[in-house]
Amino acid sequence: MRIDIMTLFTEMCDSVLGESIIGRAREAGKVEINTRDIREYTEDKHRRVDDKPYGGGMGMVMQAEPIFACFNSICDELGKRPHLIYMTPQGKTLTQKRVKELSRLDNIAILCGHYEGVDERVIEELEPEEISIGDYVLTGGELPALILADSISRMLDGVLSNDECFEEESHYNSLLEYPQYTHPAEWRGRQVPEVLLSGHHAKVDEWRREQSLLRTLRRRPDMLEKAELTEKDKSILSSFEGEKIC
Protein backbone atom coordinates (compact mmCIF):
# COMPACT_ATOMS: atom_id res chain seq x y z
CA MET A 1 0.00 0.00 0.00
CA ARG A 2 1.03 3.57 -0.66
CA ILE A 3 -0.19 6.47 1.49
CA ASP A 4 0.51 10.11 0.57
CA ILE A 5 -0.04 12.75 3.25
CA MET A 6 -0.65 16.26 1.89
CA THR A 7 0.45 18.70 4.57
CA LEU A 8 2.12 22.00 5.42
CA PHE A 9 4.26 20.27 8.05
CA THR A 10 6.15 17.38 6.48
CA GLU A 11 8.87 17.30 9.14
CA MET A 12 6.27 16.89 11.88
CA CYS A 13 4.77 13.90 10.09
CA ASP A 14 8.09 12.35 9.09
CA SER A 15 9.38 12.47 12.67
CA VAL A 16 6.45 10.34 13.83
CA LEU A 17 6.31 7.99 10.85
CA GLY A 18 10.01 7.18 11.16
CA GLU A 19 9.64 5.67 14.62
CA SER A 20 8.62 2.34 16.15
CA ILE A 21 6.61 -0.30 14.27
CA ILE A 22 5.52 1.94 11.39
CA GLY A 23 9.05 3.22 10.90
CA ARG A 24 10.39 -0.34 10.68
CA ALA A 25 7.56 -1.33 8.34
CA ARG A 26 8.46 1.54 6.00
CA GLU A 27 12.12 0.54 6.00
CA ALA A 28 11.17 -3.06 5.25
CA GLY A 29 8.92 -2.02 2.38
CA LYS A 30 5.72 -3.29 4.00
CA VAL A 31 4.07 0.08 3.47
CA GLU A 32 5.04 3.23 1.57
CA ILE A 33 4.13 6.49 3.28
CA ASN A 34 5.10 9.79 1.66
CA THR A 35 4.63 13.34 2.90
CA ARG A 36 3.88 16.04 0.33
CA ASP A 37 4.51 19.70 1.12
CA ILE A 38 1.53 21.65 -0.20
CA ARG A 39 3.69 24.81 -0.26
CA GLU A 40 5.68 23.28 -3.11
CA TYR A 41 2.62 23.63 -5.34
CA THR A 42 1.83 27.31 -4.85
CA GLU A 43 2.64 29.91 -7.49
CA ASP A 44 3.05 32.61 -4.85
CA LYS A 45 6.69 33.75 -4.67
CA HIS A 46 6.48 33.89 -0.88
CA ARG A 47 5.12 30.31 -0.80
CA ARG A 48 1.82 31.45 0.70
CA VAL A 49 -0.95 28.88 0.60
CA ASP A 50 -3.59 30.71 2.64
CA ASP A 51 -5.53 33.97 2.65
CA LYS A 52 -8.22 35.82 4.58
CA PRO A 53 -11.73 34.38 4.31
CA TYR A 54 -14.28 36.14 2.11
CA GLY A 55 -17.01 37.67 4.25
CA GLY A 56 -14.61 38.37 7.10
CA GLY A 57 -13.93 36.40 10.22
CA MET A 58 -11.05 35.08 12.25
CA GLY A 59 -8.06 33.16 10.94
CA MET A 60 -6.92 32.17 7.47
CA VAL A 61 -8.20 29.67 4.91
CA MET A 62 -6.03 27.34 2.81
CA GLN A 63 -6.33 28.13 -0.90
CA ALA A 64 -7.78 25.67 -3.37
CA GLU A 65 -5.16 25.69 -6.15
CA PRO A 66 -2.09 24.48 -4.20
CA ILE A 67 -4.11 21.60 -2.77
CA PHE A 68 -5.52 20.74 -6.18
CA ALA A 69 -2.07 20.85 -7.79
CA CYS A 70 -0.56 18.73 -5.03
CA PHE A 71 -3.23 16.05 -5.45
CA ASN A 72 -2.88 16.08 -9.23
CA SER A 73 0.86 15.52 -8.84
CA ILE A 74 0.15 12.37 -6.83
CA CYS A 75 -2.33 11.21 -9.45
CA ASP A 76 0.25 11.75 -12.19
CA GLU A 77 2.86 9.72 -10.32
CA LEU A 78 0.48 6.84 -9.75
CA GLY A 79 -1.13 7.00 -13.15
CA LYS A 80 -4.49 6.89 -11.46
CA ARG A 81 -6.52 8.62 -8.77
CA PRO A 82 -5.92 7.39 -5.21
CA HIS A 83 -8.70 7.32 -2.66
CA LEU A 84 -8.67 10.82 -1.16
CA ILE A 85 -9.47 11.47 2.50
CA TYR A 86 -9.84 14.88 4.12
CA MET A 87 -9.30 14.94 7.88
CA THR A 88 -11.95 17.26 9.34
CA PRO A 89 -14.06 17.39 12.51
CA GLN A 90 -17.07 17.62 10.18
CA GLY A 91 -16.42 14.12 8.80
CA LYS A 92 -17.72 10.73 9.88
CA THR A 93 -16.02 9.42 13.00
CA LEU A 94 -13.28 6.89 12.26
CA THR A 95 -14.06 3.32 13.29
CA GLN A 96 -12.06 0.11 13.27
CA LYS A 97 -14.46 -1.22 10.65
CA ARG A 98 -13.58 1.63 8.31
CA VAL A 99 -9.87 1.16 9.04
CA LYS A 100 -10.12 -2.49 7.96
CA GLU A 101 -11.89 -1.45 4.76
CA LEU A 102 -9.29 1.20 3.95
CA SER A 103 -6.44 -1.24 4.58
CA ARG A 104 -7.61 -3.24 1.54
CA LEU A 105 -6.96 -0.33 -0.84
CA ASP A 106 -3.75 0.10 -2.81
CA ASN A 107 -3.44 3.88 -2.74
CA ILE A 108 -4.67 6.51 -0.30
CA ALA A 109 -4.03 10.26 -0.19
CA ILE A 110 -4.77 12.17 3.02
CA LEU A 111 -5.33 15.93 3.06
CA CYS A 112 -4.46 17.79 6.26
CA GLY A 113 -6.35 21.02 6.75
CA HIS A 114 -4.98 23.87 8.84
CA TYR A 115 -5.92 27.32 10.10
CA GLU A 116 -9.70 27.73 9.57
CA GLY A 117 -9.84 24.88 7.05
CA VAL A 118 -9.67 24.81 3.25
CA ASP A 119 -11.48 26.59 0.45
CA GLU A 120 -14.78 24.74 0.03
CA ARG A 121 -14.39 24.73 -3.75
CA VAL A 122 -11.51 22.25 -3.68
CA ILE A 123 -13.64 19.94 -1.54
CA GLU A 124 -16.44 20.22 -4.09
CA GLU A 125 -13.98 19.59 -6.95
CA LEU A 126 -12.11 16.61 -5.48
CA GLU A 127 -14.98 15.09 -3.45
CA PRO A 128 -12.84 13.44 -0.76
CA GLU A 129 -14.10 11.09 1.92
CA GLU A 130 -14.29 13.23 5.07
CA ILE A 131 -13.12 11.58 8.29
CA SER A 132 -12.98 12.81 11.88
CA ILE A 133 -11.14 11.21 14.80
CA GLY A 134 -13.58 12.62 17.34
CA ASP A 135 -15.87 15.45 18.33
CA TYR A 136 -13.19 18.00 19.12
CA VAL A 137 -10.99 20.45 17.20
CA LEU A 138 -7.19 20.42 16.77
CA THR A 139 -4.88 23.04 15.29
CA GLY A 140 -4.44 21.03 12.10
CA GLY A 141 -5.09 17.75 10.36
CA GLU A 142 -1.60 16.34 10.82
CA LEU A 143 -2.23 14.44 14.05
CA PRO A 144 -5.49 12.93 12.73
CA ALA A 145 -3.71 11.98 9.49
CA LEU A 146 -0.95 10.26 11.43
CA ILE A 147 -3.53 8.37 13.48
CA LEU A 148 -5.25 7.22 10.32
CA ALA A 149 -2.00 6.20 8.62
CA ASP A 150 -0.88 4.29 11.70
CA SER A 151 -4.19 2.49 12.18
CA ILE A 152 -4.27 1.43 8.52
CA SER A 153 -0.61 0.43 8.29
CA ARG A 154 -0.68 -1.91 11.26
CA MET A 155 -3.44 -3.91 9.55
CA LEU A 156 -1.22 -4.72 6.57
CA ASP A 157 0.47 -8.09 6.13
CA GLY A 158 3.87 -8.27 7.77
CA VAL A 159 3.65 -5.01 9.71
CA LEU A 160 2.81 -6.75 12.98
CA SER A 161 4.39 -10.07 13.87
CA ASN A 162 1.08 -11.91 13.89
CA ASP A 163 -2.55 -11.17 12.98
CA GLU A 164 -3.49 -12.00 16.58
CA CYS A 165 -1.67 -8.82 17.60
CA PHE A 166 -4.64 -6.79 16.37
CA GLU A 167 -7.45 -9.35 16.21
CA GLU A 168 -7.76 -9.39 20.01
CA GLU A 169 -7.42 -5.65 20.49
CA SER A 170 -10.13 -3.25 21.54
CA HIS A 171 -12.72 -2.46 18.85
CA TYR A 172 -11.48 -5.05 16.34
CA ASN A 173 -14.42 -7.36 17.05
CA SER A 174 -16.66 -4.71 18.62
CA LEU A 175 -15.39 -5.62 22.08
CA LEU A 176 -12.87 -3.97 24.39
CA GLU A 177 -9.68 -5.86 25.09
CA TYR A 178 -9.23 -7.88 28.28
CA PRO A 179 -6.82 -6.67 31.03
CA GLN A 180 -3.11 -7.30 30.42
CA TYR A 181 -0.36 -8.10 32.96
CA THR A 182 3.40 -8.68 32.95
CA HIS A 183 6.21 -9.37 35.47
CA PRO A 184 6.36 -9.29 38.44
CA ALA A 185 3.49 -11.54 39.52
CA GLU A 186 2.90 -9.28 42.56
CA TRP A 187 3.21 -5.49 42.55
CA ARG A 188 2.37 -3.30 45.56
CA GLY A 189 0.22 -6.08 46.95
CA ARG A 190 -1.69 -6.59 43.72
CA GLN A 191 -1.58 -10.10 42.26
CA VAL A 192 -1.77 -11.21 38.65
CA PRO A 193 -4.97 -13.32 38.26
CA GLU A 194 -4.15 -16.92 39.11
CA VAL A 195 -5.55 -18.30 35.85
CA LEU A 196 -2.88 -16.41 33.87
CA LEU A 197 -0.16 -18.22 35.82
CA SER A 198 -1.75 -21.66 35.38
CA GLY A 199 -0.37 -22.47 31.94
CA HIS A 200 -3.81 -23.80 30.99
CA HIS A 201 -4.36 -22.10 27.63
CA ALA A 202 -8.04 -23.01 27.27
CA LYS A 203 -8.84 -21.55 30.69
CA VAL A 204 -6.79 -18.44 29.89
CA ASP A 205 -8.74 -17.93 26.65
CA GLU A 206 -12.03 -18.42 28.50
CA TRP A 207 -11.03 -15.90 31.20
CA ARG A 208 -9.92 -13.34 28.60
CA ARG A 209 -13.17 -13.63 26.69
CA GLU A 210 -15.17 -13.20 29.89
CA GLN A 211 -13.13 -10.15 30.91
CA SER A 212 -13.49 -8.64 27.44
CA LEU A 213 -17.26 -9.00 27.63
CA LEU A 214 -17.43 -7.58 31.14
CA ARG A 215 -15.21 -4.63 30.35
CA THR A 216 -17.25 -3.78 27.26
CA LEU A 217 -20.48 -4.08 29.23
CA ARG A 218 -19.24 -1.72 31.93
CA ARG A 219 -17.41 0.83 29.79
CA ARG A 220 -18.94 0.75 26.30
CA PRO A 221 -22.25 -1.15 26.40
CA ASP A 222 -23.20 0.47 23.07
CA MET A 223 -20.57 -1.68 21.35
CA LEU A 224 -22.35 -4.90 22.28
CA GLU A 225 -25.07 -4.08 19.78
CA LYS A 226 -22.56 -4.62 16.96
CA ALA A 227 -20.62 -7.51 18.46
CA GLU A 228 -21.07 -11.08 17.25
CA LEU A 229 -22.05 -12.84 20.46
CA THR A 230 -22.38 -16.58 20.97
CA GLU A 231 -25.02 -18.08 23.24
CA LYS A 232 -22.27 -18.63 25.79
CA ASP A 233 -21.31 -14.94 25.57
CA LYS A 234 -24.92 -13.94 26.20
CA SER A 235 -25.08 -16.29 29.16
CA ILE A 236 -21.92 -14.75 30.59
CA LEU A 237 -23.33 -11.25 30.19
CA SER A 238 -26.60 -12.28 31.81
CA SER A 239 -24.68 -13.59 34.82
CA PHE A 240 -23.31 -10.17 35.67
CA GLU A 241 -26.03 -9.12 38.11
CA GLY A 242 -26.74 -5.41 38.31
CA GLU A 243 -25.00 -4.67 35.00
CA LYS A 244 -26.97 -3.00 32.23
CA ILE A 245 -27.03 -5.12 29.06
CA CYS A 246 -27.87 -3.61 25.66
Side-chain angles (χ1 to χ4, degrees), residues 16-232:
V16 174
L17 295 169
E19 298 294 331
S20 190
I21 292 173
I22 304 305
R24 293 194 294 271
R26 293 176 75 193
E27 290 182 0
K30 304 297 183 182
V31 60
E32 179 183 353
I33 307 179
N34 307 307
T35 54
R36 312 291 290 243
D37 187 351
I38 297 173
R39 294 186 191 278
E40 296 294 332
Y41 299 90
T42 179
E43 296 180 356
D44 183 88
K45 64 180 181 180
H46 300 296
R47 286 168 48 96
R48 284 188 59 183
V49 295
D50 64 323
D51 211 329
K52 296 177 181 178
Y54 280 118
M58 299 292 292
M60 306 289 278
V61 176
M62 289 178 65
Q63 296 171 313
E65 185 57 30
I67 294 171
F68 184 75
C70 182
F71 182 66
N72 274 347
S73 174
I74 297 172
C75 294
D76 290 342
E77 283 186 18
L78 292 172
K80 60 182 178 180
R81 176 190 168 109
H83 181 68
L84 177 61
I85 297 170
Y86 173 42
M87 306 306 300
T88 168
Q90 298 184 29
K92 291 184 178 180
T93 304
L94 183 64
T95 65
Q96 188 64 38
K97 179 178 181 293
R98 187 57 185 145
V99 169
K100 286 191 282 186
E101 293 168 348
L102 291 171
S103 71
R104 302 187 186 108
L105 302 179
D106 292 327
N107 303 105
I108 294 174
I110 306 174
L111 171 60
C112 303
H114 210 71
Y115 312 120
E116 294 302 310
V118 306
D119 190 310
E120 185 67 18
R121 291 170 294 184
V122 77
I123 299 302
E124 294 171 351
E125 180 70 24
L126 297 178
E127 297 182 327
E129 175 182 3
E130 299 187 18
I131 290 180
S132 167
I133 60 166
D135 295 336
Y136 48 89
V137 180
L138 300 174
T139 55
E142 283 71 25
L143 291 175
L146 291 170
I147 288 172
L148 180 60
D150 184 288
S151 63
I152 292 172
S153 297
R154 66 197 308 279
M155 299 289 295
L156 303 177
D157 289 342
V159 173
L160 300 183
S161 59
N162 191 301
D163 286 351
E164 292 180 1
C165 291
F166 58 75
E167 287 178 354
E168 295 187 1
E169 291 177 332
S170 294
H171 299 281
Y172 186 84
N173 292 312
S174 296
L175 293 175
L176 299 181
E177 189 178 7
Y178 48 78
Q180 296 276 19
Y181 301 87
T182 188
H183 296 280
E186 179 182 345
W187 178 77
R188 298 179 68 87
R190 298 176 184 272
Q191 301 281 346
V192 172
E194 190 66 31
V195 65
L196 300 180
L197 307 176
S198 68
H200 195 302
H201 298 300
K203 289 185 178 180
V204 169
D205 290 342
E206 184 177 336
W207 179 87
R208 285 175 169 172
R209 181 67 177 183
E210 180 179 297
Q211 292 299 311
S212 181
L213 290 165
L214 178 58
R215 179 162 285 190
T216 306
L217 179 64
R218 289 175 171 170
R219 300 184 181 185
R220 288 290 306 276
D222 57 295
M223 292 174 60
L224 292 173
E225 297 178 359
K226 301 178 182 179
E228 295 183 6
L229 302 177
T230 65
E231 290 302 317
K232 184 176 180 179

